[in-house]
Amino acid sequence: MSSVSLTAKAIRRGLLAAAATTVATSGFISTSAIAAEEQVQKVERIAVTGSRIKRTDMETASPVSVIDASSIIASGATSIDDVLQKMTSSGGAMTNAAVNNGSGGNARVNLRGLGSNRTLVLVNGRRMIASGTGAASTVDLNTIPVSMIQRVEVLKDGASAVYGTDAIAGVVNVILKRDFDGFELNAQTGISGQGDADETSLDFTLGNTFDKGNVVINAQYTKRGEASQADRGFSECPIAEKGAAGSKELYCAGSSYSEGGHIWGENGANLSGRGGEYHEFTDADRFNYSKDSFLSTPMERLNLSFAGTYELTDSTMFFSEAMYTKRWSDQQMAPQPIWNSDPWIYQPKAAGGWMTDDLLPWIAAGEEVSYGRRMVESGSRDFSQTVDTIRIVVGLEGEFDNGWTWDASYNKGKNDSVDTLANLHNLGSINDAVLEGKFDPFLQESWQGDSIAPFIYTELNSGGSELDIVAATLSGGIVDLPAGELGFAAGYEHRKESAHYTPDSLTSQGLANDPRVEPTAGEFSVDELYAELAIPLLADLPLAQQVDLSAAMRYFNYSTFGEDTTWKLGLTWRLYDDLMVRGGRSTAFRAPTVGELFGGKSPSFDQVVHPATDQTQAEVTVGGNPLLTPEEADITTVGLVYSPSYVEGLSFTVDYYDIAITNTITAVDSNYVANQCLGADGSLINTGTALCQASNISIDNTGRIKFDNGLQNIGATNTSGYDINVAYVFDALNLSWKAGLDTSILSSYEEFDPDGVAVDYRGYITGGVGAYAKFKSNFNLTASADDWSATYEARYIDGMDSFACKADTTKCYAPSVDSIVYHDLSGSYDVTSTVRMSAGINNIFDEEPPYYTGNNDSNTDPFTYDVLGRYFFVRANVKF
């Protein structure tokens, strides 16, 4: 795949250049020059993502990247997240198939590492329903079928003035096929070099164009198999560190909530029941939870799509879109770890009690005992989700005699989910039975067979979200000025969003051992008005071949917090044929979602590294906050586009961005909270700060750190950097060649805690919010002949330091990770005029993801690195 900058002054040169500004996936992506030539003949004005005004020049003040369908297919991707998450401008935490713990089977994109909730996802320029499990607030990319995609436009700039909330880091606009004519069938299968994570996809597209319109029908079925952490050397056992600072050693560890039970006595006893007999607890008694955890999660997905147009009159057309997705997904984790919230009193038979005497050598009668156990007798925790998502759009569009265009539409989306979690234990009932003298927790037989069976249950949760939008737009040219036509667009939008989540009854009562999960329910509505102008200032002057100013403003009134405005100004200055500079200033906002406002409190078990305990997970209570107000952002972009006329096919772009978010809605990094508020000896520190007062932090006698970390408007998030793209299209050796180099440089990334203290993430890899590499780069080279093509891709991620080791690297075995390069190779061959065969190998050299202290899961960061290793795929395409 390749990315070629659009440096043309008009449609022809722009489309022939083959894409828009920069893009990075597993390589670089471009449109076909031949297809572009055909489009030139029928396209006069087009709408580019980031503007409602149709124009004849694709160059705007904001950087836009284009990914076309053929490039997505060439990558072997069966879901669009496979492509978007590999862009150099993507970062932070992005759920995908490799995220087993907490993903819920969802797939998200995260531009600039600012969070998926700050990246707006559109379909055909209109909002997509938030989807996934629970009270979803971001778009699950599984709902968008790859086989229906015509192209994807990625705007790497704020666009709230044009699109409203969420467009802070950028906009991903997925354009679906609308004028397809004919029949196309694709069948693809793939498998890892280890023989697991197999994936099969089958799709067809049928389209027919008739006198009055067009109809397109698409269906895609995808099935993905699992891979186990136990089947890779880097993840077969949870790695922990021991030893003095500066001389740390690694060992195969795991959880202290171990098989056979772990007992902490009031007077210091530390016992293990592994093997059936109690003894002093050692590292050998820790539980290896990797063997029961997925490295890559299985999924089945059915996507059905429809698009249709019908010409009502010569100037009015009816259009409709419909998408339906049903997803079945699974995750698997180790058997449930259980613990007693309040200590039990040891009452052995030898002292007149009713409990086993097995603890007497270490525990005295009447002593308080804390207890933890890994419930291997009951089996692994099995998560499953069934998610239904539907989106329907109907509308009218037309053109007046003066050339102005208009459209009016109704957008309806609905998402419903049911998720289950099997092999949980009702510890509330177990605790009651212990207190009533009916269940001896220190007797191994109590946790087995018929004795434990009545306390085992499957958690059943449900959730959903709903979206209703009524919108209308008007666009056209107002007057011809000396430098060109003054263009405008204006519109109105009414949007209503609602969401809910109903946890299992036992879970909501806090009887499932984990802290209780509260329900979520709420809704809001908003009315918005917006206007946009494209103002030509100068033309055909020395060093000012064309200078244009763009301006946009949006007014919004939310039922939850009131009204406000946002605006955007942009300037494009083409000095001469080869060189254009551009820049923009804008404000953006993100309104709190239903989940953020009304989300019930729930537990999150986050990775921490703290000297007060050897437990690597903290129990963190998270939840919504009805007092949240919108985030606000000031965004600046400055760039240049250079396409030297003396080197045909060569283009170069560089864009600088600066995003400053205030009133940030977020939770503070869990490692940061733990180390700021808890001393090395487990005592409370910094108790006068707002951060630590709000945390209510504590550490229990099992060594588990507990604190609150709910959502707050906690200050600010600032990030800046550069996107650089070099692309070259040329002919040599009787072949057509495309080469591209796409690079993102992160200059700064800071979040400020409630006390105004800056937390610097630039160059760090974390245990919960992903990675923020200073430098990322993708290279691509494609050679094409009449009936075949071959593509080589390389993806580079710079080395980073572990955020968990920021305070003192000597306390960590692996305080940093080295840079890594992934190499991919793919090719296609036209067997006949209707049949094309494709194949590829991703991660050719089987690069393993790096270990680092304070890792996320699988001893690494599955948000950032490839965990499967070498992967093979083959694809057959039939089209006529």
Side-chain angles (χ1 to χ4, degrees):
M1 295 177 289
S2 67
S3 174
V4 181
S5 293
L6 279 170
T7 57
K9 299 169 289 296
I11 285 283
R12 174 177 296 274
R13 188 174 177 188
L15 289 174
L16 291 178
T21 63
T22 62
V23 71
T25 61
S26 54
F28 300 85
I29 302 175
S30 70
T31 52
S32 165
I34 296 176
E37 178 67 37
E38 295 172 350
Q39 292 179 44
V40 169
Q41 308 303 325
K42 60 181 181 181
V43 176
E44 295 180 357
R45 294 178 180 271
I46 59 173
V48 180
T49 299
S51 174
R52 302 279 189 181
I53 300 174
K54 295 181 179 180
R55 61 194 76 208
T56 58
D57 191 338
M58 287 192 69
E59 287 294 358
T60 67
S62 299
V64 178
S65 306
V66 174
I67 308 170
D68 78 335
S70 62
S71 302
I72 297 171
I73 292 171
S75 72
T78 59
S79 178
I80 190 60
D81 64 290
D82 292 341
V83 175
L84 295 176
Q85 292 185 359
K86 294 175 182 177
M87 294 177 61
T88 60
S89 55
S90 297
M94 296 178 287
T95 53
N96 54 65
V99 181
N100 180 55
N101 186 358
S103 71
N106 299 308
R108 315 286 190 199
V109 62
N110 185 349
L111 294 178
R112 306 297 186 203
L114 287 170
S116 299
N117 51 3
R118 298 185 186 97
T119 301
L120 178 61
V121 177
L122 308 174
V123 174
N124 294 333
R126 300 177 181 88
R127 285 181 179 267
M128 181 64 184
I129 172 72
S131 46
T133 49
S137 59
T138 55
V139 174
D140 176 16
L141 297 175
N142 286 304
T143 59
I144 303 175
V146 164
S147 54
M148 191 64 173
I149 294 176
Q150 178 174 316
R151 68 182 184 276
V152 180
E153 297 178 358
V154 181
L155 172 71
K156 293 177 286 186
D157 189 9
S160 286
V162 178
Y163 298 113
T165 183
D166 304 337
I168 291 180
V171 178
V172 174
N173 187 11
V174 182
I175 310 299
L176 301 181
K177 296 174 181 176
R178 180 169 170 173
D179 299 319
F180 182 84
D181 198 14
F183 176 79
E184 182 173 8
L185 175 69
N186 293 289
Q188 179 172 315
T189 187
I191 195 167
S192 78
Q194 299 293 323
D196 54 14
D198 56 298
E199 186 170 22
T200 300
S201 180
L202 181 67
D203 68 76
F204 75 85
T205 306
L206 178 64
N208 181 48
T209 300
F210 50 92
D211 289 344
K212 293 287 187 176
N214 181 271
V215 173
V216 182
I217 299 172
N218 172 272
Q220 179 175 340
Y221 171 76
T222 304
K223 184 174 183 179
R224 183 176 69 212
E226 76 270 8
S228 172
Q229 292 183 16
D231 293 334
R232 300 294 190 279
F234 65 86
S235 61
E236 63 185 357
C237 178
I239 297 174
E241 303 174 7
K242 62 182 179 181
S247 57
K248 290 285 186 178
E249 296 179 356
L250 299 181
Y251 70 102
C252 181
S255 172
S256 60
Y257 291 82
S258 55
E259 183 177 351
H262 190 167
I263 294 175
W264 295 267
E266 180 184 3
N267 297 319
N270 187 16
L271 307 179
S272 171
R274 185 179 183 186
E277 295 184 1
Y278 288 104
H279 54 274
E280 292 287 345
F281 184 91
T282 68
D283 286 338
D285 295 306
R286 291 178 173 273
F287 182 77
N288 179 359
Y289 50 81
S290 292
K291 60 186 178 63
D292 297 306
S293 298
F294 286 149
L295 182 69
S296 182
T297 59
M299 179 189 68
E300 284 186 79
R301 185 181 70 228
L302 175 66
N303 298 95
L304 302 176
S305 304
F306 167 85
T309 60
Y310 186 79
E311 186 179 310
L312 299 175
T313 70
D314 289 343
S315 59
T316 305
M317 181 171 293
F318 170 81
F319 65 88
S320 61
E321 305 165 12
M323 300 170 62
Y324 171 73
T325 301
K326 191 172 189 70
R327 166 165 66 86
W328 303 267
S329 50
D330 299 281
Q331 302 84 47
Q332 180 176 290
M333 296 180 65
Q336 184 185 17
I338 66 167
W339 62 92
N340 56 339
S341 299
D342 298 309
W344 289 320
I345 305 299
Y346 182 44
Q347 305 174 57
K349 295 175 182 177
W354 59 279
M355 295 178 173
T356 178
D357 295 333
D358 291 350
L359 305 187
L360 278 177
W362 302 276
I363 307 293
E367 186 175 343
E368 290 187 348
V369 175
S370 294
Y371 187 86
R373 185 182 185 92
R374 184 68 61 167
M375 294 302 301
V376 295
E377 296 85 355
S378 304
S380 61
R381 284 170 289 169
D382 299 326
F383 301 76
S384 67
Q385 301 86 33
T386 302
V387 184
D388 293 273
T389 306
I390 188 168
R391 177 181 187 264
I392 298 174
V393 178
V394 293
L396 298 172
E397 60 186 16
E399 183 174 342
F400 295 114
D401 292 340
N402 62 359
W404 291 8
T405 60
W406 61 271
D407 68 77
S409 63
Y410 173 61
N411 180 352
K412 174 69 175 182
K414 187 173 176 60
N415 175 71
D416 291 296
S417 67
V418 174
D419 62 280
T420 62
L421 173 52
N423 296 328
L424 294 181
H425 301 80
N426 185 343
L427 195 68
S429 295
I430 293 174
N431 188 65
D432 290 343
V434 172
L435 298 179
E436 294 169 4
K438 298 177 180 179
F439 188 95
D440 182 358
F442 309 118
L443 184 66
Q444 295 294 342
E445 289 78 9
S446 297
W447 301 98
Q448 302 170 7
D450 293 340
S451 177
I452 193 64
F455 302 103
I456 301 174
Y457 75 100
T458 296
E459 179 181 275
L460 176 65
N461 312 298
S462 62
S465 58
E466 200 160 349
L467 174 71
D468 291 273
I469 302 176
V470 176
T473 64
L474 180 66
S475 176
I478 299 177
V479 64
D480 287 329
L481 300 176
E485 184 181 63
L486 174 63
F488 92 105
Y492 165 78
E493 181 177 299
H494 172 79
R495 186 172 79 255
K496 180 181 178 182
E497 295 188 35
S498 61
H500 70 277
Y501 174 67
T502 304
D504 185 273
S505 60
L506 289 177
T507 304
S508 64
Q509 297 175 68
L511 299 177
N513 196 73
D514 290 345
R516 68 187 296 258
V517 176
E518 299 176 348
T520 296
E523 66 179 34
F524 65 82
S525 61
V526 57
D527 290 285
E528 299 179 280
L529 293 169
Y530 62 88
E532 182 182 358
L533 292 174
I535 309 167
L537 300 179
L538 300 172
D540 301 323
L541 296 175
L543 296 180
Q545 187 180 87
Q546 185 70 47
V547 180
D548 294 327
L549 176 69
S550 60
M553 177 169 286
R554 175 176 289 253
Y555 163 83
F556 51 87
N557 191 339
Y558 277 78
S559 62
T560 45
F561 59 82
E563 61 184 2
D564 206 343
T565 59
T566 185
W567 56 267
K568 183 171 185 176
L569 290 174
L571 182 72
T572 59
W573 185 340
R574 185 170 297 280
L575 284 80
Y576 59 102
D577 278 355
D578 299 356
L579 179 64
M580 186 187 80
V581 296
R582 60 189 176 194
R585 278 281 292 166
S586 64
T587 60
F589 75 101
R590 188 179 76 82
T593 65
V594 171
E596 290 171 333
L597 289 168
F598 309 113
K601 292 182 179 179
S602 62
S604 176
F605 294 91
D606 297 349
Q607 295 291 111
V608 297
V609 176
H610 197 283
T613 180
D614 60 359
Q615 289 208 35
T616 58
Q617 282 190 331
E619 179 187 313
V620 183
T621 300
V622 299
N625 180 353
L627 300 179
L628 292 173
T629 57
E631 299 177 341
E632 299 175 355
D634 291 310
I635 301 169
T636 301
T637 61
V638 179
L640 65 84
V641 181
Y642 182 56
S643 181
S645 55
Y646 51 85
V647 183
E648 185 177 356
L650 178 65
S651 63
F652 173 85
T653 67
V654 58
D655 289 282
Y656 168 80
Y657 66 90
D658 183 280
I659 303 173
I661 305 172
T662 55
N663 225 26
T664 306
I665 301 172
T666 188
V668 184
D669 178 81
S670 292
N671 263 292
Y672 182 76
V673 175
N675 287 280
Q676 282 291 306
C677 303
L678 201 66
D681 60 354
S683 62
L684 301 181
I685 59 175
N686 297 324
T687 55
T689 64
L691 174 69
C692 296
Q693 288 177 351
S695 71
N696 296 314
I697 196 166
S698 64
I699 184 170
D700 66 20
N701 55 358
T702 72
R704 184 182 290 276
I705 299 174
K706 303 179 181 181
F707 57 90
D708 297 333
N709 198 12
L711 294 174
Q712 305 174 60
N713 292 108
I714 63 169
T717 302
N718 298 332
T719 185
S720 62
Y722 298 86
D723 292 324
I724 303 171
N725 171 253
V726 181
Y728 188 32
V729 180
F730 61 99
D731 293 326
L733 304 175
N734 294 320
L735 297 174
S736 297
W737 297 82
K738 300 176 185 177
L741 179 65
D742 195 66
T743 300
S744 290
I745 301 172
L746 184 62
S747 301
S748 66
Y749 194 106
E750 289 184 331
E751 288 188 357
F752 293 82
D753 72 11
D755 299 291
V757 178
V759 183
D760 186 5
Y761 287 102
R762 176 179 177 263
Y764 285 97
I765 187 169
T766 74
V769 293
Y772 297 86
K774 297 178 182 178
F775 187 91
K776 296 169 71 175
S777 189
N778 293 348
F779 171 76
N780 165 272
L781 180 64
T782 298
S784 302
D786 290 339
D787 56 359
W788 64 268
S789 68
T791 299
Y792 164 75
E793 302 165 352
R795 183 163 58 98
Y796 172 86
I797 303 174
D798 200 17
M800 289 171 280
D801 297 324
S802 171
F803 190 80
C805 306
K806 190 173 184 179
D808 187 354
T809 59
T810 65
K811 295 181 179 179
C812 300
Y813 177 88
S816 62
V817 295
D818 291 333
S819 60
I820 193 168
V821 182
Y822 296 107
H823 303 267
D824 304 330
L825 188 64
S826 62
S828 65
Y829 177 69
D830 293 334
V831 180
T832 68
S833 59
T834 60
V835 178
R836 170 175 292 182
M837 297 297 299
S838 305
I841 306 174
N842 294 332
N843 194 356
I844 297 172
F845 299 110
D846 202 22
E847 292 284 349
E848 285 192 353
Y851 166 78
Y852 63 96
T853 304
N855 57 79
N856 183 299
D857 194 15
S858 306
N859 299 316
T860 188
D861 180 12
F863 294 133
T864 303
Y865 298 110
D866 170 25
V867 299
L868 286 179
R870 188 180 295 116
Y871 199 88
F872 305 88
F873 69 89
V874 61
R875 180 184 185 92
N877 170 269
V878 179
K879 187 174 182 178
F880 52 86

